[in-house]
Amino acid sequence: MSRGPHKPAGRVNPGRPVAPCAAEGGRCRPPGPPRAEHGMVTVEIAFGALAAALACIALAWVLAVLGLAVRCQDTAAEVARQEARTDRSAVARAIADRPAGATVSVRGDAEQVTVTVELIARPWASWLPALPVSARAVVLREPA
């Protein structure tokens, strides 16, 4: 018995309808998007994961810069407090604890002490953007 072009290869159950794709050459395409679009979700997830990773790195960099700003403010406050008490050894210790690369300037008059700490913040690597960070503290002198 000869098979016609509209009959699928293999065994056919009588009375059972033949799938339309089987009548067109015997190969069915799986349901879903066309073949050219397979893998699109994978690419979108990959780009999404890359964007999320870059966002996390940027957030960590910003937090590192903020941490340096807090350290500068702590140094300025401590140096100003100790200078207002005229405790030279404590001033030297506080200046030694400053962030690496920071400059400390102390100005004072008869009534108050002003301390400024300045830093060009470059957390992690020198090729990343540098941000100028400064902190200032003003304290009244303590009576002698």
Side-chain angles (χ1 to χ4, degrees):
M1 178 170 167
S2 127
R3 290 191 316 220
H6 65 280
K7 292 189 177 183
R11 193 169 146 200
V12 177
N13 292 335
R16 187 170 177 191
V18 175
C21 61
E24 298 173 4
R27 293 188 54 148
C28 290
R29 187 175 62 82
R35 279 249 192 257
E37 294 181 10
H38 278 225
M40 288 297 290
V41 173
T42 305
V43 172
E44 290 166 356
I45 289 174
F47 280 124
L50 180 62
L54 290 175
C56 287
I57 290 170
L59 178 63
W61 184 83
V62 168
L63 290 176
V65 170
L66 288 176
L68 287 172
V70 167
R71 287 188 59 204
C72 287
Q73 185 62 50
D74 287 345
T75 300
E78 182 67 20
V79 170
R81 230 183 348 261
Q82 299 306 333
E83 183 68 30
R85 292 182 184 154
T86 63
D87 186 353
R88 301 285 179 228
S89 63
V91 168
R93 281 193 308 266
I95 290 175
D97 288 340
R98 71 183 184 269
T103 59
V104 178
S105 62
V106 180
R107 288 184 314 231
D109 57 21
E111 295 180 8
Q112 66 185 14
V113 176
T114 303
V115 176
T116 305
V117 178
E118 295 176 331
L119 170 69
I120 302 298
R122 290 182 182 263
W124 301 345
S126 61
W127 56 269
L128 288 172
L131 292 177
V133 176
S134 67
R136 192 176 120 188
V138 179
V139 177
L140 293 176
R141 287 200 183 270
E142 292 187 5

